[in-house]
């Protein structure tokens, strides 16, 4: 499928930009734009094409060979004279007066692989590109700032977006025409192919350069106007009715049968889960609260049973191509694992159902085993494509994960004890809906990559499987676990998919939250320790104590040593926001004040670098980079939450931790800036709606006075973490009067232990309850409904 689909822009803005864009010199290219989104070929939304693999010595070697991004290195042997994003490429374009061809993707993007094989590996196409353009390749995960600017252009002019992204620019980096995936020639979809488009643009540039340059300026001006957020009254904060509106919008799109919000393709949407859990927590006895919880829990259960969940090697794939969570796009992304771990932790806290705790452990096992660097950082992703066998020449999507019926039965041929005519394979095939001719419908597999293959999915239940074979529940459970273990061993002998071992600050922050929250709720110190290791990694390798600034990325060498590019990429606003959230969650798991202190320092630096002093809100990028023609503010929560949404809640939490009213004023300013969005379509920003819910609720400061490692202190802390309290601020008062928090919160000096025991204080509206020293008393206090 065509990458993740980028979120859509407001229709009014798109209309304004199109009025500029339609008055263009383009002819053949303009006709092709909408056709290259692959939306016109619905069958291609379900399955995708094979990619090639070769072990031969490369014939070509371009500048990308000097890079460290796995995505850029994938293109280092193309005949295309690729440049990385930078001044060398820009200077060449200006000197030779050539337009720029910008190609943006990421290393686990299937259609990026397809376009490389079809076009960028082709000698004739490479020559055409080299003769007429300066070609730049960008890893969108390294440079989200570049990606966001030009994806906004693509969305506004074509009505959609995704990756790979293909854009032509003037030498001064103004967009003039673009699309996403382009087929290699004119045989596909009845529209011009990539080579025809290249020739057309080269010809138009030669004939109409002045007009094209003028058009680029007009397009950029329209983008600047269309992406501005202006608020006439910074104090006009949207009301709590936005939360109800968001809930109703999500409920309207809910799939009663299979769970999820919206139709196929279905994406995990943790930002929606976050909102729905908060709707329940604010009024759990209301019909809306009960429905919000039921929709969320059902969706999480169906995802866990579906093919989007890797039942053998754990973790979750990117999304489901169908409405049943069955046939996924098989890549695995770190940001999904981090956010979904939190969602399943929330589900466990609200229900105490061990099924959800098991899925948390499942996700974290996968990340610990397959996405963890020895330095403490987390890798970015695993690819969807791999070789079916070690002898194969062509990669196929899902080859690492799928099974034939015969293969499963051969591996699981052991007879079940006490059941002479029953094998382990019988039980496994029944439970996971394995069929002799495969369980993937042909319309989902037009290229026959999954012919006769099975994607594991649980259509029934453990109880159904046990009853079907006359087994008790525990025997069936043990048998299935043994089967999974055997299949895992076999699967590890297959050719592995590509691992993107780039480490990103933002995504590490999200994963750190996942481990920290699991450590809290499951009471497992190993998870907390893993979150601490990640924080230590980021502070050592991705942070400058001199400038107090973050880097975006780091890399691993062949001998698994953390390394860096000659000019490191400076951190973007999401790197700060996601890490700050991770540090706040980490403090509430380990109560080490250094992480809270670092969060405050990073928030101050984020404000300095990214805050819009004139209009409010956070820009994606810092000021001063001439190669970024447009500073933008992210205003949509999608696969990842927007930095403005996460920052709003970070600021409110910091305000309550550190008694700094400035943080709350800044959060309220964010709500005012995005007020139109929150009032009209809060479903576009459910994470920001969560922060707004926090603002309109009564924060619950829970202060535990005691020694961190004492049993009675740990019992009270465990009691707190057994509850889902989204508006809580948890503080450990260890009586170290010269400590960081005692210097910030004077109230801590007045809260002492009772009779030498660990003591809990629950404070709301600047008034604290009577102190309690038992878990039972604290539990009753925490069960009180919010006012």
């Amino acid at each position: 499928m065509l990458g993740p689909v980028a979120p859509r822009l407001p229709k009014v803005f798109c209309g304004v930009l199109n009025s500029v864009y339609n008055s263009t010199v383009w002819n053949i290219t303009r006709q092709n734009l909408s056709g290259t989104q692959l939306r016109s070929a619905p069958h291609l939304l379900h399955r995708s094409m094979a990619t090639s693999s070769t072990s031969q010595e490369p014939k070509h070697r371009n500048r990308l060979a000097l890079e460290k991004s796995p995505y850029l290195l994938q293109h280092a042997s193309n005949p295309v004279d690729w440049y990385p994003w930078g001044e060398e490429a820009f200077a060449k374009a200006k000197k030779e007066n050539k337009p720029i061809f910008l190609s943006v993707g990421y290393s686990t993007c299937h259609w990026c692989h397809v376009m490389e094989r079809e076009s960028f590996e082709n000698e004739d196409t490479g020559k055409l590109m080299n003769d007429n353009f300066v070609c730049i390749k960008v890893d969108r995960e390294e440079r989200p700032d570049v990606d966001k600017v030009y994806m906004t252009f693509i969305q506004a002019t074509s009505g959609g977006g995704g990756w790979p992204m293909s854009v032509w620019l003037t030498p001064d980096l103004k967009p003039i025409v673009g699309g996403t995936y382009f087929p290699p020639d004119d045989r596909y979809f009845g529209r011009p192919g990539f080579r025809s488009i290249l020739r057309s643009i080269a010809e138009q540039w030669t004939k109409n350069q002045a007009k094209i340059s003028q058009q680029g300026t007009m397009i950029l001006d329209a983008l600047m106007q269309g992406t501005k957020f202006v608020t006439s009254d910074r104090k006009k904060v949207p009301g709590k009715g936005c939360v109800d509106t968001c809930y109703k919008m999500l409920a309207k799109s809910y799939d009663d049968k299979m769970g999820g919000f919206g139709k196929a393709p279905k994406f995990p949407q943790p930002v929606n889960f976050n909102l729905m859990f908060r709707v329940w927590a604010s009024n759990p006895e209301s019909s809306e609260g009960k429905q919000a919880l039921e929709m969320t829990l059902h969706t999480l259960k169906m995802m866990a049973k579906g093919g989007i969940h890797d039942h053998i090697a754990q973790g979750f794939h990117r999304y489901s191509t169908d409405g049943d969570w069955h046939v996924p796009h098989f890549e695995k992304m770190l940001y999904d694992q981090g956010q979904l771990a939190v969602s399943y932790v929330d589900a466990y806290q609200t229900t105490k159902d061990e099924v959800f705790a098991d899925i948390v452990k499942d996700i974290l096992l996968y990340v610990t085993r397959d996405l963890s660097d020895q330095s403490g950082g987390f890798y970015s992703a695993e690819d969807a494509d791999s070789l079916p066998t070690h002898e194969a020449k062509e990669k196929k999507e899902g080859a690492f994960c799928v099974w034939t019926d015969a293969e499963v039965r051969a591996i699981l041929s052991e007879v079940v004890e006490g059941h002479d005519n029953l094998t382990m394979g019988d039980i496994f095939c029944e439970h996971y809906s394995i069929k002799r001719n495969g369980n993937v419908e042909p319309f989902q597999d037009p290229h026959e990559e999954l012919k006769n293959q099975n994607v594991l999915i649980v259509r029934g239940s453990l109880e159904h499987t046990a009853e079907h074979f006359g087994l008790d529940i525990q025997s069936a459970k043990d048998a299935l676990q043994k089967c999974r273990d055997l299949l895992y061993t076999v699967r590890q002998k297959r050719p592995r998919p590509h691992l993107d071992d780039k480490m990103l600050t933002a995504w590490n922050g999200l994963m750190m939250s996942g481990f920290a929250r699991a450590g809290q709720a499951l009471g497992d110190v190993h998870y907390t320790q893993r979150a601490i290791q990640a924080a230590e990694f980021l502070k050592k390798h991705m942070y400058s104590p001199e400038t107090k600034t973050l880097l975006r990325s780091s890399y691993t060498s062949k001998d698994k040593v953390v390394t860096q590019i000659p000019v490191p990429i400076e951190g973007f606003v999401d790197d700060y926001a996601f890490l700050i959230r991770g540090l706040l969650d980490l403090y509430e798991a380990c109560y080490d004040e250094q992480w809270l202190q670092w969060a405050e320092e990073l928030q101050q630096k984020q404000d300095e670098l990214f805050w819009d002093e004139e209009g409010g809100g956070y820009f994606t990028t810092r000021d001063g980079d001439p190669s970024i023609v447009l500073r933008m503010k992210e205003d949509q929560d999608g696969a990842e939450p927007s930095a403005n949404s996460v920052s709003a809640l970070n600021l409110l939490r910091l305000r309550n931790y550190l008694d700094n009213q400035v943080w709350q004023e800044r959060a309220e300013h964010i709500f005012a800036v995005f007020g139109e969005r929150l009032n009209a379509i809060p479903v576009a920003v459910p994470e920001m709606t969560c922060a707004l819910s926090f603002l309109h609720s009564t924060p619950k400061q829970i202060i535990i006075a005691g020694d961190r490692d004492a049993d009675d202190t740990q019992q009270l802390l465990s009691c707190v973490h057994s509850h889902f309290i989204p508006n809580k601020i948890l503080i450990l008062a260890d009586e170290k009067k010269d400590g960081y928090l005692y210097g910030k919160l004077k109230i801590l000096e007045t809260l002492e232990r009772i009779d030498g025991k660990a003591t809990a204080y629950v404070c709301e509206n600047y008034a604290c309850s009577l102190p309690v020293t038992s878990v039972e008393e604290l539990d009753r206090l925490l069960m009180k409904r919010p006012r």
Side-chain angles (χ1 to χ4, degrees):
M1 175 162 175
L2 180 70
V5 177
R8 292 182 179 271
L9 294 171
K11 290 183 179 179
V12 173
F13 167 45
C14 295
V16 170
L17 185 53
N18 265 309
S19 67
V20 174
Y21 192 59
N22 285 328
S23 61
T24 173
V25 298
W26 305 118
N27 183 3
I28 188 172
T29 307
R30 183 71 179 99
Q31 178 192 0
N32 190 68
L33 280 175
S34 61
T36 61
Q37 301 298 319
L38 299 187
R39 298 174 187 275
S40 61
H43 63 283
L44 291 177
L45 287 173
H46 298 288
R47 301 297 320 144
S48 47
M49 302 164 66
T51 55
S52 61
S53 176
T54 177
S55 59
Q56 297 177 352
E57 187 69 24
K59 178 180 177 181
H60 300 278
R61 213 68 179 153
N62 57 48
R63 289 166 183 79
L64 299 186
L66 302 176
E67 297 297 308
K68 296 188 183 297
S69 156
Y71 176 62
L72 300 187
L73 290 172
Q74 286 173 349
H75 294 264
S77 59
N78 295 166
V80 180
D81 187 17
W82 290 116
Y83 284 75
W85 183 264
E87 189 55 41
E88 184 183 7
F90 310 150
K92 178 180 172 66
K94 291 174 182 175
K95 180 181 178 181
E96 299 181 9
N97 194 28
K98 287 182 177 178
I100 291 169
F101 171 66
L102 173 65
S103 176
V104 181
Y106 55 102
S107 76
T108 59
C109 164
H110 178 80
W111 281 97
C112 300
H113 302 333
V114 173
M115 192 164 177
E116 178 190 18
R117 186 196 67 189
E118 294 176 338
S119 295
F120 303 149
E121 291 180 353
N122 183 280
E123 296 280 351
D124 294 336
T125 302
K127 186 176 187 306
L128 188 59
M129 295 170 69
N130 297 336
D131 289 347
N132 295 284
F133 305 95
V134 174
C135 301
I136 299 178
K137 181 63 78 168
V138 166
D139 182 339
R140 69 174 294 261
E141 295 167 356
E142 273 191 330
R143 295 300 304 257
D145 53 340
V146 176
D147 176 68
K148 179 62 178 176
V149 169
Y150 298 109
M151 183 56 72
T152 301
F153 164 69
I154 295 298
Q155 289 175 281
T157 54
S158 69
W163 295 272
M165 176 169 63
S166 307
V167 193
W168 284 264
L169 318 175
T170 64
D172 55 354
L173 306 179
K174 295 171 183 174
I176 47 180
V177 70
T180 53
Y181 162 80
F182 290 95
D185 52 46
D186 300 351
R187 294 174 296 169
Y188 301 88
F189 314 129
R191 289 179 171 83
F194 187 57
R195 285 190 287 274
S196 295
I197 294 168
L198 289 170
R199 294 188 189 98
S200 176
I201 293 174
E203 180 182 353
Q204 293 285 1
W205 179 259
T206 301
K207 293 179 178 179
N208 300 294
Q209 181 179 326
K211 190 170 183 179
I212 291 171
S213 296
Q214 181 183 19
Q215 175 196 328
T217 300
M218 293 170 64
I219 289 172
L220 185 58
D221 289 344
L223 285 170
M224 288 179 176
Q225 291 301 315
T227 55
K228 277 186 176 179
F229 289 88
V230 180
T231 175
S232 57
D233 184 359
R234 61 181 291 176
K235 295 182 179 179
K236 194 172 182 180
V237 175
K240 63 190 305 181
C242 297
V243 179
D244 185 56
T245 302
C246 190
Y247 157 75
K248 289 177 179 177
M249 287 181 166
L250 287 172
K252 189 174 181 180
S253 66
Y254 177 66
D255 180 345
D256 290 324
K257 180 181 177 183
M258 299 305 298
F261 303 96
K263 300 178 181 179
K266 279 186 177 176
F267 291 80
Q269 297 171 302
V271 292
N272 291 342
F273 304 149
N274 294 345
L275 185 282
M276 295 302 240
F277 278 125
R278 282 157 177 78
V279 169
W280 169 79
S282 67
N283 197 349
E285 299 305 319
S286 68
S287 59
E288 291 83 1
K290 292 177 180 178
Q291 186 181 15
L293 183 62
E294 172 56 30
M295 287 189 288
T296 306
L297 297 178
H298 181 59
T299 299
L300 290 170
K301 286 178 180 177
M302 298 309 291
M303 285 171 52
K305 293 170 70 172
I308 192 174
H309 177 212
D310 188 340
H311 296 275
I312 301 300
Q314 298 81 44
F316 281 82
H317 301 295
R318 178 73 275 272
Y319 59 85
S320 173
T321 61
D322 55 77
D324 291 351
W325 304 108
H326 181 203
V327 182
H329 178 45
F330 287 89
E331 67 181 327
K332 291 181 179 177
M333 308 301 295
L334 181 67
Y335 59 76
D336 283 325
Q337 315 309 320
Q339 293 179 91
L340 285 172
V342 171
S343 295
Y344 282 98
V345 165
D346 291 345
Y348 174 67
Q349 285 182 316
T350 59
T351 65
K352 306 301 185 293
D353 188 336
E354 290 295 329
V355 167
F356 297 115
D358 289 343
I359 299 299
V360 175
K361 297 171 186 177
D362 171 290
I363 294 170
L364 300 186
L365 171 60
Y366 164 67
V367 174
T368 300
R369 185 189 64 227
D370 293 342
L371 293 183
S372 288
D373 187 78
Q374 61 186 10
S375 66
F378 298 110
Y379 301 140
S380 294
E382 280 193 306
D383 206 344
D385 301 355
S386 62
L387 294 171
T389 66
H390 290 283
E391 295 76 30
K393 302 298 183 184
E394 297 287 330
K395 289 185 177 182
K396 292 184 178 181
E397 184 171 358
F400 188 64
C401 303
V402 296
W403 305 87
T404 65
D405 175 84
E407 184 181 18
V408 169
R409 292 184 182 279
I411 297 167
L412 306 178
S413 59
E414 179 185 339
V415 175
V416 177
E417 185 177 353
H419 296 75
D420 293 342
N421 296 318
L422 179 65
T423 68
M424 302 287 277
D426 293 331
I427 298 173
F428 192 85
C429 289
E430 170 68 22
H431 189 71
Y432 288 104
S433 302
I434 291 176
K435 299 179 180 178
R436 181 173 301 176
N437 296 321
N439 66 5
V440 178
E441 296 294 336
F443 76 88
Q444 294 180 279
D445 186 32
H447 298 285
E448 298 189 344
E449 290 179 299
L450 299 180
K451 187 175 182 179
N452 296 324
Q453 299 286 347
N454 290 273
V455 178
L456 304 185
I457 182 172
V458 180
R459 298 285 189 184
S461 64
L462 177 63
E463 291 75 13
H464 169 84
T465 300
E467 182 181 356
H468 182 79
F469 293 108
L471 301 171
D472 61 79
I473 298 293
Q474 190 59 48
S475 295
K477 184 177 182 180
D478 292 344
L480 288 169
Q481 183 60 55
K482 184 175 182 179
C483 291
R484 288 191 294 267
D485 291 342
L486 288 168
L487 292 175
Y488 175 81
T489 300
V490 172
R491 210 172 98 170
Q492 295 313 297
K493 298 175 183 177
R494 295 175 175 178
R496 292 195 67 89
H498 159 74
L499 173 68
D500 188 324
D501 56 7
K502 172 176 75 265
M503 292 175 281
L504 302 173
T505 298
W507 295 4
N508 272 250
L510 292 175
M511 197 66 244
M512 195 164 72
S513 284
F515 274 97
R517 289 290 313 282
Q520 297 168 19
L522 304 185
D524 191 326
V525 69
H526 295 97
Y527 294 145
T528 301
Q529 187 57 42
R530 183 65 186 88
I532 292 172
Q533 290 173 355
E536 291 172 341
F537 160 79
L538 291 167
K539 199 162 191 178
K540 178 179 180 180
H541 294 286
M542 311 283 261
Y543 175 71
S544 168
E546 292 78 21
T547 62
K548 298 187 186 301
T549 56
L550 293 171
L551 296 177
R552 171 65 175 179
S553 54
S554 62
Y555 310 85
T556 52
S557 63
K558 290 182 179 179
D559 53 357
K560 293 299 181 183
V561 174
V562 178
T563 185
Q564 193 49 264
I565 54 180
V567 181
I569 301 169
E570 295 174 332
F572 302 103
V573 69
D574 60 330
D575 295 303
Y576 287 81
F578 296 178
L579 176 53
I580 291 167
R581 178 161 80 175
L583 292 171
L584 296 180
D585 290 336
L586 179 56
Y587 169 75
E588 291 194 351
C590 70
Y591 319 104
D592 186 337
E593 293 181 355
Q594 69 162 312
W595 305 124
L596 199 55
Q597 187 169 0
W598 192 26
E600 181 189 25
E601 292 173 358
L602 289 174
Q603 186 63 62
Q604 291 169 341
K605 182 58 67 171
Q606 178 183 327
D607 291 351
E608 176 189 330
L609 296 176
F610 303 102
W611 182 257
D612 181 359
E613 293 292 349
E614 180 181 349
Y618 292 102
F619 288 114
T620 301
T621 59
R622 63 176 70 188
D623 198 9
D625 185 346
S627 73
I628 302 302
V629 296
L630 183 63
R631 287 185 84 196
M632 303 186 68
K633 297 172 189 173
E634 188 66 59
D635 66 332
Q636 185 139 348
D637 298 321
E640 302 168 57
S642 79
N644 277 292
S645 296
V646 173
S647 295
L649 187 52
N650 287 345
L651 290 164
L652 293 172
R653 292 173 75 184
L654 284 167
R655 180 262 181 274
N656 283 277
Y657 273 121
L658 308 178
D659 195 23
N660 187 341
Q661 182 63 23
V662 172
W663 298 131
Q664 177 153 334
E665 293 171 359
R666 184 142 288 181
E668 291 176 354
H669 197 173
I670 292 174
F671 297 134
V673 169
F674 296 98
E676 183 178 345
R677 207 119 168 102
L678 285 163
N679 283 310
I681 46 171
V683 73
V685 283
E687 190 74 21
M688 189 175 291
T689 310
C690 290
L692 186 66
S693 174
F694 186 103
L695 176 72
H696 288 301
S697 66
T698 303
K700 193 185 292 284
Q701 277 188 323
I702 305 169
I703 303 171
I704 309 297
D707 293 329
R708 180 170 63 177
D709 298 324
D711 288 343
D712 55 354
T713 302
Q714 287 298 317
Q715 289 171 11
L716 293 178
L717 291 169
S718 294
C719 175
V720 175
H721 289 310
S722 70
H723 293 265
F724 178 70
I725 311 173
N727 62 329
K728 79 173 185 299
I729 301 294
L730 177 60
I731 295 171
L732 178 68
D734 56 7
E735 297 184 350
K736 295 178 181 177
K737 302 296 178 66
D738 58 348
Y740 169 72
L741 275 175
Y742 274 85
K744 297 287 185 177
L745 294 174
K746 299 305 179 185
I747 191 176
L748 297 184
E749 296 183 4
T750 68
L751 305 180
E752 299 179 345
R753 300 185 224 190
I754 303 299
D755 298 329
K757 300 177 182 178
T759 304
Y761 298 82
V762 179
C763 309
E764 297 180 68
N765 290 324
Y766 306 102
C768 294
S769 66
L770 292 174
V772 297
T773 57
S774 72
V775 168
E776 293 74 19
E777 291 173 304
L778 178 57
D779 196 60
R780 282 195 294 272
L781 279 177
L782 297 179
M783 289 292 288
K784 285 185 178 180
R785 297 271 56 91
R787 301 172 200 169

